[in-house]
Coordinates of all heavy atoms in Angstrom, one line a residue:
M1 N -14.6 12.3 -6.2 CA -13.2 12.3 -6.7 C -12.5 10.9 -6.5 O -11.9 10.4 -7.3 CB -12.5 13.4 -5.9 CG -11.1 13.6 -6.4 SD -11.0 14.2 -8.2 CE -11.4 15.9 -7.9
G2 N -12.8 10.3 -5.3 CA -12.2 9.0 -5.0 C -12.7 8.0 -6.0 O -11.9 7.1 -6.5
C3 N -13.9 7.9 -6.3 CA -14.5 7.0 -7.3 C -13.8 7.2 -8.7 O -13.6 6.3 -9.4 CB -16.0 7.2 -7.4 SG -16.9 6.7 -5.9
E4 N -13.6 8.4 -9.0 CA -12.9 8.7 -10.3 C -11.6 8.0 -10.4 O -11.2 7.4 -11.4 CB -12.8 10.2 -10.5 CG -12.1 10.6 -11.8 CD -13.0 10.3 -13.0 OE1 -14.2 10.2 -12.9 OE2 -12.4 10.1 -14.1
L5 N -10.8 8.1 -9.3 CA -9.5 7.5 -9.2 C -9.6 6.0 -9.5 O -8.8 5.4 -10.2 CB -8.9 7.7 -7.9 CG -7.5 7.1 -7.7 CD1 -6.5 7.6 -8.6 CD2 -7.1 7.3 -6.2
L6 N -10.6 5.3 -8.9 CA -10.8 3.9 -9.0 C -11.1 3.5 -10.4 O -10.8 2.3 -10.8 CB -11.9 3.4 -8.0 CG -11.5 3.6 -6.6 CD1 -12.7 3.1 -5.7 CD2 -10.3 2.8 -6.2
R7 N -11.7 4.3 -11.2 CA -12.1 3.9 -12.5 C -10.9 4.0 -13.5 O -10.9 3.5 -14.6 CB -13.2 4.8 -13.1 CG -14.5 4.3 -12.7 CD -15.6 5.1 -13.3 NE -16.5 5.7 -12.3 CZ -16.6 7.0 -12.0 NH1 -16.0 7.8 -12.8 NH2 -17.3 7.4 -11.1
R8 N -9.9 4.8 -13.1 CA -8.7 4.9 -14.0 C -7.8 3.7 -13.8 O -7.7 3.1 -12.8 CB -7.9 6.2 -13.5 CG -8.7 7.4 -13.7 CD -7.9 8.6 -13.3 NE -8.6 9.8 -13.4 CZ -8.3 10.9 -12.8 NH1 -7.2 11.1 -12.1 NH2 -9.1 12.0 -12.9
P9 N -7.1 3.4 -14.9 CA -6.2 2.2 -14.9 C -5.0 2.5 -13.9 O -4.6 3.6 -13.8 CB -5.7 2.1 -16.3 CG -5.9 3.5 -16.9 CD -7.0 4.1 -16.2
L10 N -4.6 1.4 -13.2 CA -3.6 1.5 -12.3 C -2.5 0.5 -12.7 O -2.7 -0.5 -13.4 CB -4.0 1.1 -10.9 CG -5.1 2.0 -10.3 CD1 -5.6 1.4 -9.0 CD2 -4.6 3.4 -10.0
K11 N -1.2 0.8 -12.4 CA -0.2 -0.1 -12.7 C 0.5 -0.4 -11.4 O 0.6 0.3 -10.5 CB 0.8 0.5 -13.7 CG 1.6 1.6 -13.2 CD 2.6 2.1 -14.2 CE 3.5 3.2 -13.8 NZ 4.4 3.7 -14.8
L12 N 1.0 -1.7 -11.4 CA 1.8 -2.1 -10.2 C 3.2 -1.6 -10.2 O 3.9 -1.8 -11.2 CB 1.7 -3.6 -10.2 CG 2.3 -4.4 -9.0 CD1 1.5 -4.0 -7.7 CD2 2.2 -5.9 -9.2
L13 N 3.6 -1.0 -9.1 CA 5.0 -0.6 -9.0 C 5.9 -1.5 -8.3 O 5.4 -2.0 -7.3 CB 5.0 0.8 -8.2 CG 4.5 2.0 -8.9 CD1 4.5 3.1 -7.9 CD2 5.1 2.3 -10.2
P14 N 7.0 -1.8 -8.8 CA 8.0 -2.7 -8.0 C 8.3 -1.8 -6.8 O 8.5 -0.6 -6.9 CB 9.1 -2.9 -8.9 CG 9.0 -1.8 -9.9 CD 7.6 -1.5 -10.1
F15 N 8.5 -2.5 -5.6 CA 8.8 -1.7 -4.4 C 10.1 -1.0 -4.5 O 10.4 -0.1 -3.7 CB 8.6 -2.5 -3.2 CG 9.6 -3.6 -2.9 CD1 10.9 -3.3 -2.3 CD2 9.4 -4.9 -3.2 CE1 11.8 -4.2 -2.1 CE2 10.3 -5.8 -3.0 CZ 11.6 -5.5 -2.4
S16 N 11.0 -1.4 -5.4 CA 12.3 -0.8 -5.5 C 12.3 0.4 -6.4 O 13.3 1.1 -6.4 CB 13.4 -1.8 -6.0 OG 13.0 -2.2 -7.2
N17 N 11.2 0.7 -7.0 CA 11.1 1.9 -7.9 C 11.0 3.1 -7.1 O 10.2 3.3 -6.2 CB 9.8 1.7 -8.8 CG 9.7 2.8 -9.8 OD1 10.0 4.0 -9.4 ND2 9.2 2.5 -10.9
H18 N 11.9 4.1 -7.4 CA 11.9 5.3 -6.7 C 11.6 6.5 -7.6 O 12.0 7.6 -7.4 CB 13.2 5.6 -6.0 CG 13.6 4.6 -5.0 ND1 13.0 4.5 -3.8 CD2 14.5 3.5 -5.1 CE1 13.6 3.5 -3.1 NE2 14.4 2.9 -3.9
G19 N 10.8 6.1 -8.7 CA 10.6 7.1 -9.7 C 9.6 8.1 -9.5 O 9.5 9.2 -10.2
T20 N 8.7 8.0 -8.5 CA 7.7 9.0 -8.2 C 8.2 10.0 -7.2 O 9.1 9.7 -6.4 CB 6.4 8.4 -7.8 OG1 6.6 7.7 -6.5 CG2 5.9 7.4 -8.8
D21 N 7.7 11.2 -7.3 CA 8.2 12.3 -6.5 C 7.1 12.8 -5.5 O 7.3 13.8 -4.9 CB 8.7 13.5 -7.3 CG 7.6 14.0 -8.2 OD1 6.4 13.5 -8.1 OD2 7.9 14.8 -9.1
G22 N 6.1 12.0 -5.3 CA 5.1 12.3 -4.3 C 3.9 13.2 -5.0 O 3.0 13.5 -4.3
N23 N 4.0 13.5 -6.2 CA 3.0 14.3 -6.8 C 2.0 13.4 -7.6 O 1.0 14.0 -8.1 CB 3.6 15.3 -7.8 CG 4.4 16.3 -7.1 OD1 4.1 16.7 -6.0 ND2 5.5 16.7 -7.7
Q24 N 2.2 12.1 -7.7 CA 1.3 11.3 -8.4 C 0.4 10.5 -7.4 O 0.8 10.3 -6.3 CB 2.0 10.2 -9.3 CG 2.8 10.9 -10.4 CD 3.7 9.9 -11.1 OE1 4.8 9.7 -10.7 NE2 3.2 9.3 -12.1
A25 N -0.8 10.2 -7.8 CA -1.7 9.5 -6.9 C -1.2 8.0 -6.8 O -1.0 7.3 -7.8 CB -3.1 9.5 -7.5
V26 N -1.0 7.6 -5.5 CA -0.5 6.3 -5.3 C -1.4 5.7 -4.2 O -1.9 6.4 -3.3 CB 1.0 6.4 -4.7 CG1 1.5 5.0 -4.3 CG2 1.9 7.0 -5.7
K27 N -1.6 4.4 -4.4 CA -2.5 3.6 -3.5 C -1.8 2.4 -3.0 O -1.0 1.8 -3.7 CB -3.8 3.3 -4.1 CG -4.6 4.5 -4.6 CD -5.9 4.1 -5.1 CE -6.9 3.7 -4.0 NZ -8.3 3.6 -4.5
V28 N -2.1 2.0 -1.8 CA -1.7 0.7 -1.3 C -2.9 -0.3 -1.3 O -4.0 0.1 -1.1 CB -1.0 0.7 0.1 CG1 0.3 1.4 0.0 CG2 -1.9 1.5 1.1
Q29 N -2.6 -1.6 -1.4 CA -3.6 -2.6 -1.2 C -3.0 -3.8 -0.6 O -1.8 -4.1 -0.9 CB -4.3 -2.9 -2.5 CG -3.5 -3.6 -3.6 CD -4.3 -3.9 -4.8 OE1 -5.3 -3.3 -5.1 NE2 -3.9 -4.9 -5.6
I30 N -3.7 -4.6 0.1 CA -3.2 -5.8 0.7 C -4.0 -7.0 0.0 O -5.2 -7.0 0.0 CB -3.5 -5.8 2.2 CG1 -2.6 -4.8 2.9 CG2 -3.2 -7.2 2.8 CD1 -2.8 -4.7 4.4
D31 N -3.2 -7.9 -0.4 CA -3.8 -9.2 -0.9 C -4.1 -10.1 0.2 O -3.2 -10.6 0.9 CB -2.7 -9.8 -1.8 CG -3.3 -11.1 -2.5 OD1 -4.2 -11.7 -1.9 OD2 -2.7 -11.5 -3.5
S32 N -5.4 -10.2 0.5 CA -5.9 -10.9 1.7 C -5.5 -12.4 1.6 O -5.4 -13.1 2.6 CB -7.3 -10.7 1.9 OG -8.1 -11.2 0.8
G33 N -5.3 -12.9 0.3 CA -4.9 -14.3 0.2 C -3.4 -14.5 0.6 O -3.1 -15.7 0.9
R34 N -2.6 -13.5 0.6 CA -1.2 -13.7 1.0 C -0.9 -13.2 2.4 O 0.0 -13.7 3.1 CB -0.3 -12.9 0.0 CG -0.2 -13.6 -1.3 CD 0.8 -12.8 -2.2 NE 0.2 -11.7 -2.8 CZ 0.8 -10.7 -3.4 NH1 2.1 -10.7 -3.5 NH2 0.1 -9.6 -3.9
C35 N -1.7 -12.2 2.9 CA -1.5 -11.7 4.3 C -1.6 -12.9 5.3 O -2.6 -13.6 5.3 CB -2.5 -10.6 4.6 SG -2.3 -10.0 6.3
Q36 N -0.6 -12.9 6.2 CA -0.7 -13.9 7.2 C -0.7 -13.3 8.6 O -0.6 -13.9 9.6 CB 0.6 -14.8 7.2 CG 0.7 -15.7 5.9 CD -0.4 -16.7 5.8 OE1 -0.7 -17.4 6.7 NE2 -1.1 -16.7 4.6
G37 N -0.9 -12.0 8.6 CA -1.1 -11.2 9.9 C 0.2 -11.0 10.6 O 0.2 -10.8 11.9
H38 N 1.3 -10.8 10.0 CA 2.5 -10.5 10.6 C 2.5 -9.1 11.3 O 3.3 -8.9 12.3 CB 3.7 -10.5 9.6 CG 4.0 -11.9 9.1 ND1 4.6 -12.9 9.9 CD2 3.7 -12.5 7.9 CE1 4.7 -14.0 9.2 NE2 4.2 -13.8 8.0
G39 N 1.7 -8.2 10.8 CA 1.5 -7.0 11.5 C 2.6 -5.9 11.3 O 2.5 -4.9 11.9
R40 N 3.5 -6.2 10.5 CA 4.6 -5.1 10.3 C 4.0 -3.9 9.7 O 4.5 -2.8 10.0 CB 5.7 -5.7 9.5 CG 6.4 -6.8 10.2 CD 7.6 -7.4 9.4 NE 8.2 -8.5 10.0 CZ 9.2 -9.2 9.5 NH1 9.7 -8.9 8.3 NH2 9.7 -10.3 10.2
C41 N 3.1 -4.1 8.8 CA 2.5 -2.9 8.1 C 1.9 -1.9 9.1 O 2.2 -0.7 9.1 CB 1.5 -3.4 7.0 SG 0.2 -4.4 7.6
Y42 N 1.0 -2.4 9.9 CA 0.3 -1.4 10.8 C 1.3 -1.0 12.0 O 1.0 0.0 12.6 CB -1.0 -1.9 11.2 CG -1.2 -3.3 11.8 CD1 -0.8 -3.6 13.1 CD2 -1.6 -4.3 11.0 CE1 -1.0 -4.9 13.6 CE2 -1.8 -5.6 11.4 CZ -1.5 -5.9 12.7 OH -1.6 -7.2 13.2
D43 N 2.3 -1.8 12.3 CA 3.2 -1.4 13.3 C 4.1 -0.3 12.8 O 4.4 0.7 13.5 CB 4.1 -2.6 13.8 CG 3.3 -3.5 14.7 OD1 2.3 -3.1 15.2 OD2 3.8 -4.6 14.9
L44 N 4.5 -0.4 11.5 CA 5.5 0.6 11.0 C 4.8 1.8 10.5 O 5.3 2.9 10.6 CB 6.2 -0.1 9.8 CG 7.3 -1.1 10.2 CD1 7.8 -1.9 8.9 CD2 8.5 -0.4 10.8
V45 N 3.6 1.6 9.9 CA 2.9 2.8 9.2 C 1.4 2.7 9.6 O 0.6 2.5 8.9 CB 3.0 2.7 7.7 CG1 2.6 4.0 7.1 CG2 4.5 2.3 7.3
P46 N 1.2 3.1 10.9 CA -0.2 3.0 11.4 C -1.1 4.1 10.7 O -2.4 4.0 10.8 CB -0.1 3.3 12.9 CG 1.2 4.0 13.0 CD 2.1 3.5 11.9
G47 N -0.6 5.0 10.1 CA -1.4 6.0 9.3 C -2.0 5.5 8.1 O -2.9 6.1 7.5
L48 N -1.4 4.4 7.6 CA -1.9 3.8 6.3 C -2.6 2.5 6.5 O -3.4 2.1 5.7 CB -0.8 3.7 5.3 CG -0.2 4.9 4.8 CD1 1.0 4.6 3.8 CD2 -1.2 5.8 4.0
F49 N -2.2 1.7 7.5 CA -2.6 0.4 7.7 C -3.3 0.2 9.1 O -2.8 0.8 10.1 CB -1.5 -0.6 7.5 CG -0.9 -0.5 6.2 CD1 0.3 0.2 6.0 CD2 -1.4 -1.3 5.1 CE1 0.9 0.3 4.7 CE2 -0.8 -1.2 3.8 CZ 0.3 -0.4 3.6
G50 N -4.2 -0.7 9.2 CA -4.8 -1.1 10.5 C -4.8 -2.6 10.5 O -4.3 -3.3 9.6
D51 N -5.5 -3.2 11.5 CA -5.7 -4.6 11.6 C -7.2 -4.9 11.8 O -7.9 -4.1 12.4 CB -4.8 -5.2 12.7 CG -5.1 -4.7 14.1 OD1 -5.5 -3.5 14.2 OD2 -5.1 -5.5 15.0
D52 N -7.5 -6.1 11.3 CA -8.9 -6.5 11.6 C -9.0 -7.3 12.9 O -8.0 -7.4 13.6 CB -9.4 -7.4 10.3 CG -8.7 -8.7 10.2 OD1 -8.0 -9.1 11.1 OD2 -8.9 -9.3 9.1
D53 N -10.1 -7.9 13.1 CA -10.4 -8.5 14.4 C -9.4 -9.7 14.7 O -9.3 -10.2 15.8 CB -11.8 -9.0 14.5 CG -12.8 -7.8 14.6 OD1 -12.3 -6.7 15.0 OD2 -14.0 -8.0 14.3
E54 N -8.9 -10.3 13.6 CA -8.0 -11.4 13.7 C -6.5 -11.1 13.6 O -5.7 -12.0 13.5 CB -8.5 -12.5 12.7 CG -9.8 -13.0 12.9 CD -10.3 -14.0 11.9 OE1 -9.9 -14.0 10.8 OE2 -11.2 -14.8 12.3
G55 N -6.2 -9.8 13.4 CA -4.8 -9.4 13.3 C -4.3 -9.3 11.9 O -3.1 -9.0 11.7
Y56 N -5.1 -9.5 10.9 CA -4.7 -9.4 9.6 C -4.7 -7.9 9.1 O -5.5 -7.1 9.7 CB -5.6 -10.2 8.6 CG -5.5 -11.7 8.8 CD1 -6.4 -12.4 9.5 CD2 -4.5 -12.4 8.2 CE1 -6.3 -13.8 9.7 CE2 -4.4 -13.8 8.3 CZ -5.3 -14.4 9.1 OH -5.2 -15.8 9.3
G57 N -3.8 -7.6 8.3 CA -3.6 -6.2 7.9 C -4.8 -5.7 7.0 O -5.3 -6.6 6.2
K58 N -5.1 -4.5 7.1 CA -6.0 -3.9 6.2 C -5.6 -2.5 5.9 O -5.0 -1.8 6.8 CB -7.5 -3.9 6.7 CG -7.7 -3.1 8.0 CD -9.1 -3.1 8.5 CE -9.3 -2.3 9.7 NZ -10.7 -2.4 10.2
V59 N -5.9 -2.0 4.7 CA -5.6 -0.5 4.4 C -6.7 0.3 5.0 O -7.8 -0.1 5.2 CB -5.5 -0.3 2.9 CG1 -4.3 -1.1 2.3 CG2 -6.8 -0.6 2.2
L60 N -6.3 1.5 5.4 CA -7.2 2.4 6.0 C -7.9 3.3 4.9 O -7.2 3.6 3.9 CB -6.5 3.4 7.0 CG -5.9 2.7 8.2 CD1 -5.2 3.7 9.1 CD2 -6.9 1.8 9.0
G61 N -9.1 3.5 5.0 CA -9.8 4.2 3.9 C -9.8 3.5 2.6 O -9.9 2.3 2.6
D62 N -9.5 4.3 1.6 CA -9.4 3.7 0.2 C -8.0 3.3 -0.1 O -7.8 2.9 -1.3 CB -10.1 4.6 -0.8 CG -9.3 5.9 -1.0 OD1 -8.3 6.1 -0.2 OD2 -9.7 6.7 -1.9
G63 N -7.1 3.4 0.8 CA -5.7 3.0 0.5 C -4.9 4.1 -0.1 O -3.7 3.9 -0.4
A64 N -5.5 5.3 -0.4 CA -4.7 6.4 -1.0 C -3.6 6.8 -0.1 O -3.9 7.0 1.1 CB -5.7 7.5 -1.3
V65 N -2.5 7.0 -0.6 CA -1.3 7.4 0.2 C -1.2 8.9 0.1 O -1.1 9.5 -1.0 CB 0.0 6.8 -0.4 CG1 1.2 7.3 0.4 CG2 -0.1 5.3 -0.4
P66 N -1.4 9.6 1.3 CA -1.3 11.1 1.2 C 0.0 11.6 0.7 O 1.1 10.9 0.9 CB -1.5 11.5 2.7 CG -2.1 10.3 3.3 CD -1.6 9.1 2.6
P67 N 0.1 12.7 0.1 CA 1.4 13.3 -0.4 C 2.4 13.3 0.7 O 2.1 13.6 1.9 CB 1.0 14.7 -0.8 CG -0.5 14.7 -1.1 CD -1.1 13.6 -0.1
G68 N 3.6 12.9 0.4 CA 4.7 12.9 1.3 C 4.8 11.6 2.2 O 5.7 11.5 2.9
Q69 N 3.8 10.7 2.0 CA 3.9 9.4 2.7 C 4.3 8.2 1.9 O 4.2 7.1 2.3 CB 2.6 9.2 3.5 CG 2.4 10.2 4.6 CD 1.3 9.8 5.5 OE1 0.9 8.6 5.7 NE2 0.7 10.8 6.2
E70 N 4.7 8.5 0.7 CA 5.0 7.4 -0.2 C 6.1 6.5 0.3 O 6.1 5.3 0.2 CB 5.3 7.9 -1.6 CG 5.5 6.8 -2.6 CD 5.8 7.3 -4.0 OE1 5.3 8.4 -4.4 OE2 6.7 6.7 -4.7
R71 N 7.1 7.2 0.9 CA 8.3 6.5 1.4 C 7.8 5.5 2.5 O 8.3 4.4 2.6 CB 9.3 7.5 1.9 CG 10.6 6.9 2.3 CD 11.6 8.0 2.7 NE 12.8 7.3 3.2 CZ 13.8 8.0 3.7 NH1 13.8 9.3 3.8 NH2 14.9 7.4 4.1
Q72 N 6.9 5.9 3.3 CA 6.4 5.1 4.4 C 5.7 3.9 3.8 O 5.7 2.8 4.3 CB 5.6 5.8 5.3 CG 6.4 6.8 6.2 CD 5.5 7.7 7.0 OE1 4.8 8.6 6.5 NE2 5.5 7.5 8.3
A73 N 4.9 4.2 2.7 CA 4.2 3.1 2.1 C 5.2 2.0 1.6 O 5.0 0.9 1.7 CB 3.3 3.6 1.0
R74 N 6.2 2.5 0.9 CA 7.2 1.6 0.4 C 8.0 0.8 1.5 O 8.4 -0.3 1.4 CB 8.3 2.4 -0.4 CG 7.7 2.9 -1.7 CD 8.8 3.6 -2.5 NE 8.2 4.3 -3.7 CZ 7.8 3.7 -4.8 NH1 7.9 2.4 -4.9 NH2 7.2 4.4 -5.7
L75 N 8.1 1.5 2.7 CA 8.7 0.8 3.8 C 7.8 -0.4 4.2 O 8.3 -1.5 4.5 CB 8.8 1.8 5.0 CG 9.3 1.3 6.3 CD1 10.8 0.9 6.2 CD2 9.1 2.3 7.4
A76 N 6.5 -0.2 4.3 CA 5.6 -1.3 4.6 C 5.7 -2.4 3.6 O 5.8 -3.5 3.9 CB 4.2 -0.8 4.7
V77 N 5.7 -2.0 2.3 CA 5.8 -3.0 1.2 C 7.1 -3.8 1.4 O 7.1 -5.1 1.3 CB 5.9 -2.3 -0.1 CG1 6.2 -3.3 -1.3 CG2 4.5 -1.7 -0.4
A78 N 8.2 -3.2 1.6 CA 9.5 -3.9 1.8 C 9.5 -4.8 3.0 O 10.3 -5.7 3.0 CB 10.6 -2.8 1.8
N79 N 8.7 -4.5 4.0 CA 8.8 -5.2 5.3 C 7.8 -6.3 5.4 O 7.8 -7.0 6.5 CB 8.8 -4.3 6.5 CG 10.1 -3.6 6.7 OD1 11.0 -4.2 7.4 ND2 10.3 -2.4 6.2
C80 N 6.9 -6.4 4.5 CA 5.9 -7.5 4.6 C 6.6 -8.8 4.2 O 7.0 -9.0 3.0 CB 4.7 -7.2 3.7 SG 3.5 -8.6 3.8
P81 N 6.7 -9.8 5.1 CA 7.4 -11.0 4.8 C 6.6 -11.8 3.7 O 7.2 -12.7 3.1 CB 7.5 -11.8 6.1 CG 6.7 -11.0 7.1 CD 6.3 -9.7 6.5
E82 N 5.4 -11.6 3.6 CA 4.6 -12.4 2.6 C 4.4 -11.7 1.3 O 3.7 -12.2 0.4 CB 3.1 -12.6 3.2 CG 3.2 -13.3 4.5 CD 3.8 -14.7 4.6 OE1 3.8 -15.4 3.5 OE2 4.3 -15.1 5.6
R83 N 5.0 -10.5 1.1 CA 4.8 -9.7 -0.1 C 3.4 -9.5 -0.4 O 3.0 -9.6 -1.6 CB 5.7 -10.3 -1.2 CG 7.1 -10.5 -0.9 CD 7.9 -11.0 -2.0 NE 8.1 -9.8 -3.0 CZ 9.2 -9.3 -3.3 NH1 10.3 -9.6 -2.7 NH2 9.3 -8.3 -4.1
A84 N 2.6 -9.2 0.6 CA 1.2 -9.1 0.4 C 0.7 -7.7 0.1 O -0.5 -7.5 -0.2 CB 0.4 -9.6 1.7
I85 N 1.6 -6.7 0.2 CA 1.2 -5.3 0.0 C 1.7 -4.9 -1.4 O 2.9 -5.0 -1.8 CB 1.8 -4.4 1.1 CG1 1.5 -4.9 2.4 CG2 1.4 -2.9 0.9 CD1 2.2 -4.2 3.6
D86 N 0.8 -4.3 -2.1 CA 1.1 -3.8 -3.5 C 1.0 -2.2 -3.4 O 0.1 -1.7 -2.8 CB 0.1 -4.4 -4.5 CG 0.4 -5.8 -4.8 OD1 1.5 -6.3 -4.8 OD2 -0.6 -6.6 -4.9
L87 N 1.8 -1.6 -4.2 CA 1.8 -0.2 -4.3 C 1.3 0.1 -5.8 O 2.0 -0.4 -6.7 CB 3.1 0.4 -4.1 CG 3.3 1.9 -3.8 CD1 2.4 2.3 -2.6 CD2 4.7 2.2 -3.6
L88 N 0.3 0.8 -5.9 CA -0.3 1.1 -7.2 C -0.2 2.6 -7.5 O -0.5 3.5 -6.6 CB -1.7 0.7 -7.3 CG -2.1 -0.7 -6.9 CD1 -3.5 -0.9 -6.6 CD2 -1.6 -1.7 -7.9
E89 N 0.2 2.9 -8.7 CA 0.3 4.3 -9.2 C -0.7 4.6 -10.3 O -0.8 3.8 -11.2 CB 1.7 4.5 -9.7 CG 1.9 5.9 -10.2 CD 3.3 6.0 -10.9 OE1 4.0 5.0 -10.9 OE2 3.6 7.1 -11.5
E90 N -1.4 5.7 -10.2 CA -2.3 6.1 -11.2 C -1.5 6.4 -12.5 O -0.5 7.0 -12.5 CB -3.1 7.4 -10.8 CG -4.1 7.8 -11.8 CD -4.7 9.1 -11.4 OE1 -4.4 9.6 -10.3 OE2 -5.6 9.6 -12.1
V91 N -2.0 5.9 -13.6 CA -1.3 6.1 -14.9 C -2.1 7.0 -15.8 O -3.3 7.2 -15.6 CB -1.0 4.8 -15.7 CG1 0.0 4.0 -14.9 CG2 -2.2 4.0 -15.9
Ligands
F3S101 FE1 -0.2 -9.0 6.5 FE2 2.1 -8.3 5.7 FE3 0.8 -6.6 7.1 S1 1.5 -10.4 6.3 S2 -0.4 -7.9 8.4 S3 0.2 -7.3 5.1 S4 3.0 -7.1 7.2

């Protein structure tokens, strides 16, 4: 099922978009080229983000946001000073 999701096209959501209601498949991803290891993502939302051995952020699992946690994902997006976190919605 997770592999099926990855094959479908995804679109990038602006973090200010509040159009989803938690019923659509949403994923987070971190751009490792932009992440500077500020750690706000895993401090604020430890259920979705963790850190690697050098303190850089990483998504947990495949980055799928469980139902009801989209708001927390957006919180992490909004608080990353490097804008390194993207929120993707299945289309
Ligand atoms: Fe990196 Fe931003 Fe998190 S810089 S550690 S993705 S808050």
Side-chain angles (χ1 to χ4, degrees):
M1 188 62 80
C3 294
E4 181 66 24
L5 177 64
L6 293 175
R7 276 189 238 111
R8 295 179 186 164
L10 299 172
K11 70 177 181 182
L12 185 64
L13 291 176
F15 70 81
S16 59
N17 182 322
H18 299 285
T20 60
D21 58 8
N23 293 325
Q24 295 173 271
V26 177
K27 298 184 78 169
V28 288
Q29 67 180 23
I30 292 178
D31 182 336
S32 60
R34 285 184 281 168
C35 176
Q36 296 296 312
H38 293 286
R40 294 183 186 176
C41 55
Y42 50 82
D43 284 344
L44 287 168
V45 192
L48 292 177
F49 301 93
D51 60 324
D52 66 14
D53 292 340
E54 298 178 334
Y56 292 98
K58 64 179 183 180
V59 297
L60 299 179
D62 65 358
V65 178
Q69 292 190 27
E70 184 181 326
R71 186 173 177 188
Q72 291 173 289
R74 292 182 188 282
L75 177 69
V77 171
N79 279 279
C80 175
E82 306 298 334
R83 303 184 74 110
I85 305 170
D86 292 321
L87 195 58
L88 306 165
E89 176 188 355
E90 181 183 1
V91 292

